[in-house]
Amino acid sequence: MIEGLLGFAAMFVLMALRVPIAVAMGIVGFVGFALMRSWPAAMSSAAGEFTDIGAYTLSVVPLFVLMGNFVTRAGMSRDLYQAAYAFIGHRRGGLALSTIAACAGFGAICGSSLATTATMARVAMPEMQRFNYSTAFAAGSVCAGATLGILIPPSVIMVIYGIMTEQSIGALFAAGVIPGLVAMGFYMLASVWVTSRHPEYGPPGERASWAERLKAMRSIWGVVLLFAIVMGGMYGGFFTPTEAAGVGAMGGFLFALARRSLTLPVLRDVLVESARTSAMLFLIVIGASLFANFLNFTELPNALKEFVTQFQIHPIVVIIAICAIYVVLGTAMESLSMMLLTVPIFFPLVTSLGFDPVWFGILVVCVIEISLITPPVGMNIFVLSSVMPQVPTTTIWRGVVPFIVADILRMSVLIAFPAITLFLPKWLGL
Amino acid sequence: MKRFESLLSYVAAAALFAMMVLTFADVLGRKFLGNSLVGAVELTELCMLVMIFLALPLASLAGEHIVFDLLDRVMPPRLLTLQQSLANLLTGLVFGAAAWLVWRRSVRTFEMGDITARLEIPLGPFHRMVAAMLLLTALVHLVLAAREAMRATSGQPAVPAAGASTGSGS
């Protein structure tokens, strides 16, 4: 157990030295494993981590990343925003509500919150500024709404959780749907609450006629079709999640092509960008799995289990404590590495307490969403301020506060009623 | 150098595109023509190895690996450059060690004559490619380390570009 704690300490020292997190996890995992077992064993397993990263089931990651990048280039976020705007834009705070709805829609074809932030910021921020929205409120609605990208399937984070914990990716995706809609509802309530206290933060937009609404609805057929093919194909038993990702990427490619948003240089950029992102992600996966191998030998997960049973801590208290730890860690750590670092410890504990691993996966995704918008290290905030350099970071920080409150309320609901999460996968027989 | 970089990125891009087309064609073939593409799975796997490891030095060069940079704001610029240099030196050494480990593995792969199941493509050259690309990634980090070390000693301010934390799967 002491070895495990030393391992964590060494990792945090390396991280503080500015060594890439993937490399820090890898060094500690490798050296720790070698000291506890033997150097030849550590060397052999480390070499295997690199050569086996090409396993077929892992190809789901780059393909979903690619799909997200294609639909981002295809400009589908603008259509979604206009459709949402046609229906709810004329209400108080309507543009913020439209932003949140459009983010949810975009999340259904894109598995990355960062891509959702970048594309929605470009579409929604200028509109909200045109209607004199409070900059903080506008930025908050984009940052928070975009976190839905990883909760509503497809989701790259869920895929990585599924691979790490050997859970069905199909079940995780299905489990994310209803919590995603619940989350959208809470975000909308948060913006209604803000505009009811400060009507000047979110003046209403223009009312659209029914003819305009129908026209806007028709323009999002591409999004609906792509979602239907990918998810329908997966749950209809036509293809596996990996194949769904390949078909989705192809669909995104064809849409981008049909909309004439792909030239050869753009295509090359999309592909190279997705390849680099995948290389970066897989390096973290390799580092994390070296680290996890080491942790399994340290008995740290078992020690934690014994601690919980010894003091007879109520399982729900354990879950709440884990979520609280995640929220605190998430303010300072990048989300993916936070998940990969902690899941090897928390997952055995949570499942030994009898909780559903899929349900816990959705909770992990939810706390990651919170970590994306909590300062000082909130990736969505960074992305928004890189797309909109004129918006000060501190303004965004102010704007996300009501949405963080909404997130915490949503987490409480999901913890209190596991059926919200588990109903759909059960119904689909997964 | 620039040319080599764009060569790597073209091949990585082509490998990713091939993965997409292979998976799609495999599904189409199975659903509509009754039989899947022979060896689509193993070709996808090999494409993925090529894509990941050719893109790895590019990601390092672009400073895309996620680092914990919360302390950057409180560090004196000169110390920060020195820290970046040390971190890159250590990262370079780690990638160098990884390259050596995978190289040893590739020697064994050649000796065993490992091949893929359907198309019987030899795996040795692919493992050797992984080792070579890890070595290249190591060199990228060592060059960055040397550059930053020179900057730290000459007293020029830190450039945040290398190692800035952007992009992630979340």
Side-chain angles (χ1 to χ4, degrees):
Chain A
M1 183 186 140
I2 190 77
E3 297 92 342
L5 294 177
L6 281 175
F8 267 100
M11 220 216 45
F12 284 123
V13 169
L14 286 171
M15 264 172 57
L17 286 175
R18 230 173 174 286
V19 174
I21 294 173
V23 176
M25 289 194 284
I27 297 176
V28 174
F30 177 75
V31 175
F33 190 89
L35 291 177
M36 296 192 71
R37 302 283 299 165
S38 72
W39 287 95
M43 279 153 72
S44 163
S45 84
E49 292 292 344
F50 285 97
T51 49
D52 298 345
I53 199 72
Y56 183 68
T57 45
L58 293 178
S59 68
V60 62
V61 175
L63 290 173
F64 271 132
V65 169
L66 183 61
M67 174 183 173
N69 283 342
F70 273 135
V71 295
T72 304
R73 289 295 170 120
M76 286 165 148
S77 50
R78 182 168 300 276
D79 300 338
L80 280 165
Y81 183 74
Q82 275 158 0
Y85 179 79
F87 281 88
I88 46 180
H90 60 280
R91 294 172 181 276
R92 192 161 67 194
L95 281 81
L97 297 175
S98 309
T99 304
I100 293 164
C103 282
F106 197 70
I109 49 170
C110 174
S112 153
S113 285
L114 303 184
T116 310
T117 311
T119 185
M120 287 312 301
R122 287 192 190 99
V123 172
M125 286 299 285
E127 285 295 306
M128 288 197 268
Q129 280 166 342
R130 194 159 67 86
F131 280 91
N132 287 324
Y133 267 54
S134 136
T135 310
F137 176 52
S141 69
V142 172
C143 282
T147 65
L148 296 172
I150 54 166
L151 183 57
I152 297 176
S155 158
V156 174
I157 285 279
M158 273 187 209
V159 167
I160 294 177
Y161 176 88
I163 291 168
M164 270 181 85
T165 60
E166 297 177 334
Q167 296 302 308
S168 143
I169 290 168
L172 284 165
F173 279 6
V177 175
I178 303 178
L181 295 174
V182 170
M184 182 181 82
F186 271 108
Y187 285 152
M188 287 187 162
L189 283 178
S191 32
V192 168
W193 182 78
V194 169
T195 47
S196 70
R197 290 191 62 203
H198 302 280
E200 74 281 6
Y201 280 12
E206 290 143 6
R207 183 183 280 277
S209 69
W210 274 101
E212 284 166 325
R213 286 178 185 180
L214 282 177
K215 191 164 159 263
M217 273 311 273
R218 271 204 298 273
S219 70
I220 61 167
W221 65 272
V223 175
V224 177
L225 182 70
L226 200 53
F227 181 74
I229 292 176
V230 171
M231 294 300 141
M234 236 168 87
Y235 297 117
F238 291 105
F239 34 74
T240 62
T242 308
E243 291 167 345
V247 172
M250 195 66 173
F253 169 66
L254 292 177
F255 271 112
L257 205 63
R259 288 164 162 247
R260 298 176 188 285
S261 40
L262 274 190
T263 56
L264 263 180
V266 171
L267 175 63
R268 195 198 76 123
D269 280 354
V270 169
L271 288 166
V272 174
E273 194 186 312
S274 308
R276 284 206 315 254
T277 303
S278 306
M280 184 273 288
L281 289 175
F282 279 123
L283 190 68
I284 297 182
V285 171
I286 292 172
S289 83
L290 286 170
F291 191 70
N293 285 348
F294 156 66
L295 271 188
N296 285 336
F297 273 103
T298 62
E299 300 289 316
L300 190 63
N302 279 334
L304 201 62
K305 259 189 245 176
E306 272 161 33
F307 178 82
V308 168
T309 23
Q310 195 188 343
F311 291 92
Q312 295 188 325
I313 303 169
H314 194 280
I316 282 294
V317 178
V318 176
I319 289 286
I320 293 170
I322 288 177
C323 291
I325 292 171
Y326 272 129
V327 171
V328 173
L329 271 183
T331 58
M333 263 192 90
E334 189 274 331
S335 329
L336 177 69
S337 22
M338 174 177 89
M339 175 178 93
L340 289 168
L341 201 60
T342 52
V343 163
I345 295 205
F346 290 151
F347 185 80
L349 174 66
V350 168
T351 44
S352 77
L353 292 170
F355 289 109
D356 189 290
V358 169
W359 174 74
F360 182 63
I362 299 300
L363 284 189
V364 169
V365 172
C366 290
V367 289
I368 286 180
E369 285 186 78
I370 299 179
S371 82
L372 288 173
I373 55 169
T374 41
V377 180
M379 294 304 284
N380 276 13
I381 297 176
F382 291 156
V383 172
L384 184 83
S385 59
S386 72
V387 176
M388 303 257 137
Q390 70 278 23
V391 181
T393 320
T394 43
T395 309
I396 312 179
W397 288 359
R398 255 191 300 125
V400 293
V401 173
F403 297 100
I404 295 174
V405 175
D407 273 336
I408 290 170
L409 290 176
R410 181 229 314 182
M411 292 284 301
S412 326
V413 169
L414 293 184
I415 293 174
F417 305 102
I420 296 176
T421 308
L422 296 174
F423 166 74
L424 200 58
K426 286 230 170 82
W427 187 69
L428 288 165
L430 292 163
Chain B
M1 189 62 209
K2 209 79 201 151
R3 224 189 239 167
F4 186 59
E5 197 186 322
S6 71
L7 176 72
L8 283 183
S9 62
Y10 271 111
V11 180
L16 180 56
F17 196 78
M19 282 172 66
M20 176 182 89
V21 174
L22 277 168
T23 313
F24 185 70
D26 190 32
V27 173
L28 277 191
R30 203 182 55 227
K31 285 296 145 196
F32 298 104
L33 304 173
N35 61 327
S36 48
L37 217 61
V38 175
V41 168
E42 51 198 64
L43 282 177
T44 307
E45 290 184 329
L46 295 178
C47 283
M48 188 152 84
L49 268 189
V50 171
M51 186 271 290
I52 294 172
F53 287 99
L54 262 59
L56 189 61
L58 299 174
S60 286
L61 203 58
E64 285 185 333
H65 296 302
I66 295 164
V67 299
F68 178 79
D69 53 6
L70 208 55
L71 300 175
D72 288 8
R73 276 161 248 185
V74 294
M75 293 279 276
R78 200 148 167 186
L79 207 58
L80 180 64
T81 320
L82 197 65
Q83 186 194 14
Q84 285 174 338
S85 171
L86 284 175
N88 270 320
L89 178 65
L90 185 60
T91 308
L93 294 177
V94 168
F95 276 116
W100 177 67
L101 286 178
V102 176
W103 182 268
R104 279 178 15 140
R105 169 62 60 100
S106 79
V107 171
R108 213 190 68 190
T109 316
F110 269 109
E111 275 169 10
M112 309 281 269
D114 287 355
I115 50 174
T116 62
R118 296 287 296 275
L119 300 175
E120 306 190 351
I121 302 168
L123 284 171
F126 287 92
H127 289 180
R128 198 146 278 185
M129 177 279 301
V130 172
M133 284 300 134
L134 284 169
L135 185 65
L136 183 63
T137 310
L139 291 177
V140 167
H141 283 283
L142 293 178
V143 168
L144 289 175
R147 233 186 248 171
E148 281 150 0
M150 280 193 294
R151 201 178 296 129
T153 45
S154 70
Q156 279 167 21
V159 184
S165 59
T166 45
S168 115
S170 25

